[in-house]
Amino acid sequence: MSSIVRRARSSSLPNFLAWRALGFRTICSSGGFSLAPSSSPASSAGIKVLESFKEEFEVGSRVVTLETGKIARFANGSVVLGIDETKVLTTVTCAKTDSPRDFLPLTVDYQEKLFAQGLIPNTYMRREGAPKERELLCGRLIDRPIRPLFPSGFYHEVQIMANVLSSDGKQDPDILAANAASAALMLSDVPWGGPIGVIRLGRVGGRIVVNPTVDELNSSDLHLIYACTRDKTMMIDVQAREITEKDLAAALRLAHPEAVKYIDPQIRLAAKAGKQKKEYKLSMLSEKLLEKVSDLAATRIETVFTDPSRGKFERGEALENIGNDVHKVFEEEGDQESLSILPKAVDTVRKKIVRSRMISDGFRVDGRHLDEVRPIYCESHLLPALHGSALFSRGETQVLCTITLGAPGEAQRLDSIVGPPKKRFMLHYTFPPFCTDEVGKKLGLNRREVGHGTLAEKALLAVMPPEEDFPYTVRINSEVMASDGSTSMASVCGGSMALMDAGIPLKAHVAGVSVGLVTDVDPSSGEIKDYRIVTDILGLEDHLGDMDFKIAGTRNGVTASQLDIKPAGIPLDIVCEALENARKARLQILDHIEREISFPRDQDGTNSPRLATLKYTNDALRSLIGPMGALKRKIEEETGARLSIDDGTLTIVAKNQAVMDKVQEKVDYIIGREIVVGGVYKGTVTSIKEYGAFVEFNGGQQGLLHMSELSHEPVSKVSDVLHIGKYITMQCIDTDVRGNIKLSLKALLPKPRSCPEKSPVVKETVSVETSSFGETVASLPSVVEPPQKSKLAVPAVVIRTAVECEEAEKSSHVDKNAKPKRAATKKPDRKPKSSQTVTEKEEETLKSTPTEETLDNFGKKPSRKEKQSESEAEESPSMSARKLKIGTEMTAKVHQVRTHGLVLDLGGGIRGMYKFEGDGETEFGIGDTLQVKCTSFSSKGIPVMALVDEEDV
């Protein structure tokens, strides 16, 4: 050691820098300051000795340390509390002078800085800004159990600051900060009735876990924070997944002894390093003043409270008039000292009257019994244009809740050192001044609004569907329209109805109620002599009572709870008793809610908001985003929709179905989507061929729209229906392994219906064709207009396959072997005779469409040779359709003579068909040569022919 010292002294650096280079930080001893021996006193600096005190103890399975004296030595009280590598510094300071006021100005500030995890803030200034929502909630968590323990009349300003020094991400620092605040108050000279212990409990797999880690809480169905003194409960905060009242009471009784383990180490630490409690001036009310105010106002106040017909504002106005009259009396007497505390005295007298009447008579200021719930009004779907909405009223308290659904990417990002990085379910509670008929300003985040909104959010979170089933972001806005007590629980009820109205599949409805307490305390011992539990408290009962116990849940159990008290603790037995009172009231409220809406509403209206989730590759999504997100922003600006992209998933949120169709159309055009047989797509015709058209759709993909799929009616030219550049809607009917896509227009068109038989027009043959998949793909009406002859006198043609022609012939009673009759004249013309009438027998034959193998005219099955010729007539043309074109003239031979037409041999094994116009009597024979012209193709590619010599007439 001496060699190190000599090396440091011989260094050219200044002496204090040399000592820092050696790494010396702290030397602990019983002294305050001392000087190290030095040969040169003028050049030697003293060594500061820090006196620190530490307490170590075990809670659950973890070691807890309390340390003071090393950090923040100037604070009135400071403590560093740590579990593992998580450490929190909490300090207490108190104002030296007392300003005139009638309340305790206690401020609790909790702060998490990212240096505690070795991170730099991702903000523009790279530093922490205004308090985050979590920091406000942790500040409330510290404030609630310590505030009731300050002595009555202590109105000095007190500030408690908690700073997270380091965090390992395993333990939530909020509980550490609350216990450290209790220890710092014990070390300070501020009068305080502590200490308290604060503990967190979880339940994993039915087993209670003390001080659970963050990972254990994720799989826990109970998240309980419990604060207490040695024998009384101070604060409860619960988030659960429908835990029963019996199990919750058991968890509370188990938490109490665990929390008490924090108390004795604080007392030992205060005995070692605590300051002497200072005598502060207390603003106390004298008994003489209270008696005088009671004589002046007690009778009139009791009259106001015994009149149940008065509402909130009527009671308030009457009590204000009484207070003004008492104030005038003291002004006339010139008692200035009493005037400063007169409002507090009047409120104390008022409190005594209300509490004594509730305990003695069991009646409340509005005439209800102690366990009676106020009248309830529920209405869902109040604002149809929104995603979901509901109005909930209980007594004079009224809350409007609205739902907004968003994409997963719109989830709230949380910059917390523990917990999840984002939150997809949010409830924002707003308490505007008009809800109490007051004038005020809205100044950003309010601690009360954040606390009430978080409580309602935790109550509803337990019944939300899992993210895998419902990945969307959900925001509830709870707007308080009128306030007369328990608006946070009204937000739970209204939020549950609004979620159902938005079509969100909740597990069950959630309702909440606030339970109060009125006690009769022995002044000498402080013990409770008598008490009354009050269900569904008014705002006045909350102000004048001892407890505000908010409990929310379903029919199966509790989902959230929060206990706030005014006295210095309440016995745990009373708290457990209140759970049953709250359960009975909750079931009554749930009956009203379920009568209004019991199932998720179907969002099928044209103006209902729409959400869609599509899967794409990341490369495809990059093309949709565009450079710097420009293309994505352009789509959002043009359509008004929201696009959210996250790891191969595109979520679209649109105001209505029209907007959704518009944005999906743009997305499909840019990147397309997976081609599904039966799917409907939109595209542009890029080229037209003789056999069909090619269509570009779905982000640049090409598909073939064959001529036979254009319409149910026969189409002679593709250009008659389509043109290049036309934007059409079609259906995918088939794809193959090579990626070829077959499209259809007629699949989306309604099929023509048969008309009545009695009609002035000529009846023609019905032709029903079947595709290779066995589905009916085309049909002609049984009654059509008489064909209008063109200048070429082309006879009317009905498209039929060769098989159908033969089957129609077999179904008629005509001898197939008999030679057809020929006309006596005009034989060279080879024209078929026309007849304007059709016999009933032939009409019945024309309507028949056999689907199975039929017998011939002699009751025998067709021979194998006949079948083979029929198969050739059907299959050959389908293979040679590409070689023929409409308008091609050729010489053909009569291959078969049917009842209603001819099967023609076009050469090369190709078969065509020709339809008679008359009643079947012809002058044609097998082997006759005819000059014909191709006029169209059937849906199966069979050429339909016409005589050339007829067209030249």
Side-chain angles (χ1 to χ4, degrees):
M1 179 68 184
S2 60
S3 63
I4 298 176
V5 174
R6 285 195 301 270
R7 188 167 68 251
R9 288 177 178 174
S10 63
S11 174
S12 60
L13 293 173
N15 192 32
F16 72 95
L17 292 179
W19 276 102
R20 286 187 180 180
L22 294 175
F24 289 97
R25 296 180 180 178
T26 303
I27 300 176
C28 298
S29 70
S30 59
F33 293 92
S34 65
L35 296 176
S38 174
S39 60
S40 178
S43 62
S44 175
I47 300 175
K48 185 175 182 178
V49 179
L50 301 179
E51 185 177 18
S52 64
F53 303 90
K54 182 183 290 187
E55 287 288 334
E56 290 189 358
F57 55 100
E58 188 173 339
V59 177
S61 60
R62 290 173 174 81
V63 176
V64 183
T65 61
L66 284 170
E67 186 177 5
T68 186
K70 186 183 294 186
I71 300 178
R73 296 167 62 91
F74 282 177
N76 201 325
S78 66
V79 171
V80 176
L81 190 148
I83 297 180
D84 297 334
E85 296 302 321
T86 301
K87 298 184 183 297
V88 179
L89 168 66
T90 303
T91 60
V92 174
T93 55
C94 182
K96 303 300 185 291
T97 59
D98 181 20
S99 301
R101 59 176 66 92
D102 60 351
F103 65 95
L104 171 62
L106 172 63
T107 304
V108 180
D109 294 318
Y110 173 91
Q111 190 172 26
E112 294 176 346
K113 293 189 176 181
L114 292 184
F115 74 77
Q117 282 194 326
L119 300 174
I120 296 176
N122 193 25
T123 61
Y124 178 77
M125 298 297 294
R126 294 297 186 268
R127 64 181 302 167
E128 289 78 12
K132 297 185 287 290
E133 189 174 292
R134 169 178 161 80
E135 293 174 330
L136 296 178
L137 294 172
C138 292
R140 282 174 55 88
L141 187 72
I142 301 170
D143 182 294
R144 288 159 50 197
I146 66 176
R147 182 180 289 271
L149 295 175
F150 285 94
S152 178
F154 180 77
Y155 298 147
H156 290 260
E157 187 173 2
V158 179
Q159 185 177 33
I160 298 176
M161 299 189 70
N163 295 274
V164 181
L165 300 181
S166 66
S167 173
D168 57 6
K170 298 178 181 178
Q171 289 288 329
D172 196 324
D174 55 355
I175 299 302
L176 281 66
N179 285 291
S182 173
L185 284 168
M186 291 295 293
L187 294 172
S188 70
D189 61 10
V190 178
W192 188 62
I196 64 169
V198 185
I199 195 72
R200 172 181 277 112
L201 263 64
R203 189 174 72 170
V204 181
R207 182 177 60 88
I208 296 295
V209 181
V210 180
N211 279 339
T213 63
V214 175
D215 293 336
E216 289 174 330
L217 283 176
N218 292 334
S219 57
S220 173
D221 63 351
L222 172 65
H223 184 183
L224 167 65
I225 299 176
Y226 180 84
C228 65
T229 61
R230 194 175 296 275
D231 56 353
K232 292 185 178 180
T233 301
M234 296 301 302
M235 186 269 297
I236 296 173
D237 198 285
V238 176
Q239 180 179 358
R241 299 174 187 170
E242 299 182 279
I243 186 172
T244 63
E245 283 77 8
K246 182 180 178 180
D247 290 346
L248 179 57
L252 293 174
R253 297 186 186 281
L254 181 61
H256 190 92
E258 295 293 333
V260 170
K261 293 180 181 179
Y262 282 93
I263 293 179
D264 289 334
Q266 296 180 48
I267 296 174
R268 293 195 299 267
L269 187 65
K272 297 177 184 178
K275 296 180 180 180
Q276 183 70 30
K277 294 299 180 182
K278 185 178 179 180
E279 294 292 335
Y280 286 90
K281 180 183 177 182
L282 303 180
S283 301
M284 303 298 294
L285 297 175
S286 64
E287 291 295 331
K288 182 180 178 180
L289 176 62
L290 290 176
E291 289 179 4
K292 186 175 181 179
V293 172
S294 180
D295 294 339
L296 292 173
T299 304
R300 296 175 61 188
I301 291 174
E302 188 173 0
T303 303
V304 173
F305 287 147
T306 54
D307 184 5
S309 63
R310 296 177 185 265
K312 174 181 178 178
F313 292 104
E314 289 80 0
R315 283 193 301 268
E317 184 178 357
L319 294 174
E320 184 179 359
N321 294 333
I322 294 172
N324 292 336
D325 293 341
V326 175
H327 190 273
K328 290 179 182 179
V329 173
F330 280 87
E331 274 187 342
E332 293 172 357
E333 295 177 356
D335 190 353
Q336 297 298 325
E337 183 179 355
S338 298
L339 284 174
S340 61
I341 57 176
L342 185 59
K344 186 74 173 178
V346 174
D347 187 69
T348 303
V349 173
R350 184 169 54 189
K351 182 177 181 180
K352 288 181 179 180
I353 294 172
V354 173
R355 293 165 66 93
S356 62
R357 183 170 182 267
M358 294 176 68
I359 292 177
S360 59
D361 301 336
F363 286 97
R364 300 154 72 171
V365 294
D366 59 351
R368 285 183 294 150
H369 294 285
L370 297 180
D371 60 348
E372 187 177 348
V373 180
R374 288 173 286 176
I376 294 174
Y377 173 80
C378 304
E379 182 180 353
S380 62
H381 209 57
L382 182 69
L383 305 172
L386 303 184
H387 293 201
S389 60
L391 182 68
F392 180 83
S393 299
R394 181 168 52 215
E396 292 183 312
T397 296
Q398 187 181 67
V399 172
L400 172 65
C401 290
T402 61
I403 303 295
T404 306
L405 302 179
E410 294 181 296
Q412 181 183 1
R413 299 187 181 276
L414 305 176
D415 295 329
S416 175
I417 61 178
V418 292
K422 60 182 181 179
K423 183 171 65 172
R424 71 182 186 95
F425 176 67
M426 302 163 282
L427 192 148
H428 296 156
Y429 169 96
T430 306
F431 192 88
F434 67 79
C435 70
T436 54
D437 195 23
E438 296 177 357
V439 177
K441 294 182 179 179
K442 296 295 294 178
L443 300 174
L445 281 178
N446 180 281
R447 290 180 180 236
R448 179 180 178 276
E449 291 181 343
V450 171
H452 281 42
T454 302
L455 175 61
E457 178 183 301
K458 291 190 294 186
L460 294 170
L461 183 61
V463 297
M464 288 291 293
E467 187 173 1
E468 296 78 17
D469 300 334
F470 193 82
Y472 306 111
T473 300
V474 181
R475 183 193 183 204
I476 303 179
N477 277 86
S478 176
E479 306 289 331
V480 180
M481 300 289 105
S483 174
D484 191 14
S486 193
T487 53
S488 61
M489 295 295 96
S491 299
V492 173
C493 302
S496 181
M497 289 195 300
L499 289 170
M500 284 281 193
D501 183 61
I504 299 176
L506 299 184
K507 297 178 183 177
H509 266 305
V510 182
V513 68
S514 185
V515 178
L517 177 69
V518 176
T519 59
D520 184 10
V521 181
D522 187 355
S524 58
S525 63
E527 296 295 327
I528 297 176
K529 298 186 297 183
D530 198 3
Y531 67 91
R532 296 290 184 272
I533 296 176
V534 185
T535 303
D536 187 20
I537 58 176
L538 298 171
L540 180 64
E541 293 169 338
D542 182 15
H543 172 68
L544 302 178
D546 296 328
M547 177 180 78
D548 183 11
F549 195 11
K550 302 180 181 70
I551 306 170
T554 65
R555 293 187 180 275
N556 300 325
V558 176
T559 58
S561 177
Q562 179 177 295
L563 172 66
D564 296 319
I565 63 172
K566 295 183 178 66
I570 292 176
L572 183 56
D573 292 337
I574 296 178
V575 175
C576 295
E577 182 182 346
L579 290 173
E580 182 61 24
N581 292 46
R583 187 188 70 85
K584 295 177 181 179
R586 187 172 73 244
L587 295 179
Q588 297 178 31
I589 300 170
L590 286 172
D591 290 339
H592 288 273
I593 293 176
E594 291 172 354
R595 280 197 293 267
E596 173 62 23
I597 179 170
S598 57
F599 297 100
R601 190 183 304 275
D602 294 332
Q603 297 291 336
D604 53 358
T606 57
N607 294 324
S608 300
R610 292 289 185 266
L611 292 96
T613 301
L614 307 173
K615 295 290 184 180
Y616 295 101
T617 62
N618 289 327
D619 292 336
L621 293 176
R622 289 190 193 99
S623 62
L624 176 65
I625 296 173
M628 303 297 291
L631 186 56
K632 173 177 172 288
R633 289 194 301 270
K634 182 180 179 182
I635 295 175
E636 291 178 336
E637 292 172 0
E638 291 179 351
T639 61
R642 296 281 188 91
L643 303 183
S644 176
I645 298 173
D646 183 20
D647 192 21
T649 302
L650 171 64
T651 304
I652 305 173
V653 183
K655 187 177 181 181
N656 50 47
Q657 187 60 47
V659 175
M660 176 63 72
D661 294 340
K662 186 176 180 181
V663 70
Q664 282 188 336
E665 179 181 328
K666 289 182 175 293
V667 171
D668 291 347
Y669 184 78
I670 296 172
I671 60 176
R673 52 192 166 110
E674 183 182 359
I675 300 298
V676 180
V677 175
V680 179
Y681 304 91
K682 294 182 179 181
T684 304
V685 179
T686 57
S687 63
I688 294 179
K689 306 296 182 180
E690 294 179 356
Y691 49 84
F694 286 96
V695 182
E696 181 177 339
F697 70 106
N698 201 42
Q701 292 183 284
Q702 292 276 348
L704 173 62
L705 181 58
H706 194 268
M707 176 192 295
S708 61
E709 296 295 336
L710 293 177
S711 174
H712 293 292
E713 305 291 341
V715 176
S716 57
K717 291 185 179 180
V718 179
S719 57
D720 293 342
V721 180
L722 302 176
H723 60 83
I724 296 177
K726 185 174 181 179
Y727 194 70
I728 59 175
T729 302
M730 63 271 173
Q731 186 180 60
C732 174
I733 58 174
D734 189 22
T735 58
D736 58 24
V737 294
R738 293 176 294 176
N740 297 325
I741 303 170
K742 298 181 181 180
L743 305 173
S744 174
L745 274 179
K746 70 179 182 182
L748 300 178
L749 300 176
K751 296 181 180 180
R753 296 182 179 180
S754 299
C755 298
E757 292 185 1
K758 293 183 178 181
S759 175
V761 297
V762 179
K763 296 182 180 180
E764 296 288 331
T765 306
V766 179
S767 175
V768 179
E769 298 185 357
T770 306
S771 70
S772 58
F773 299 96
E775 298 178 353
T776 300
V777 297
S779 63
L780 290 177
S782 57
V783 179
V784 298
E785 294 292 334
Q788 302 293 329
K789 289 188 178 181
S790 64
K791 61 181 181 179
L792 299 177
V794 180
V797 176
V798 178
I799 304 173
R800 293 160 53 88
T801 64
V803 176
E804 291 169 348
C805 292
E806 184 173 357
E807 289 174 346
E809 178 184 358
K810 292 176 182 178
S811 62
S812 63
H813 301 286
V814 179
D815 188 355
K816 182 178 178 180
N817 296 325
K819 188 174 182 179
K821 297 180 181 180
R822 296 180 180 270
T825 58
K826 299 183 181 179
K827 183 174 181 179
D829 294 340
R830 300 202 180 277
K831 294 182 182 179
K833 278 191 174 182
S834 298
S835 176
Q836 300 300 325
T837 60
V838 182
T839 63
E840 294 182 0
K841 186 175 182 180
E842 289 177 337
E843 181 181 346
E844 183 178 355
T845 302
L846 292 176
K847 292 182 180 179
S848 62
T849 307
T851 57
E852 300 178 355
E853 187 178 45
T854 57
L855 302 178
D856 60 11
N857 296 330
F858 298 96
K860 299 180 181 180
K861 290 186 179 181
S863 65
R864 183 176 301 177
K865 183 176 181 180
E866 291 174 341
K867 285 189 188 178
Q868 185 176 358
S869 64
E870 292 172 6
S871 176
E872 291 176 356
E874 178 180 355
E875 293 177 3
S876 297
S878 62
M879 294 184 294
S880 61
R882 298 188 184 94
K883 300 178 183 180
L884 290 176
K885 297 181 181 180
I886 296 176
T888 302
E889 296 184 7
M890 65 187 69
T891 302
K893 291 185 178 181
V894 178
H895 179 70
Q896 290 183 3
V897 179
R898 305 293 180 87
T899 305
H900 305 290
L902 305 176
V903 177
L904 303 178
D905 183 0
L906 305 181
I910 302 174
R911 299 290 184 265
M913 67 171 67
Y914 175 83
K915 167 67 173 56
F916 292 150
E917 187 181 7
D919 56 359
E921 296 183 2
T922 66
E923 54 185 358
F924 295 99
I926 297 177
D928 291 346
T929 301
L930 303 175
Q931 190 70 18
V932 295
K933 178 180 179 181
C934 180
T935 59
S936 65
F937 293 88
S938 72
S939 61
K940 298 184 71 176
I942 299 176
V944 179
M945 316 303 292
L947 296 178
V948 173
D949 54 352
E950 286 185 352
E951 294 177 351
D952 294 334
V953 176

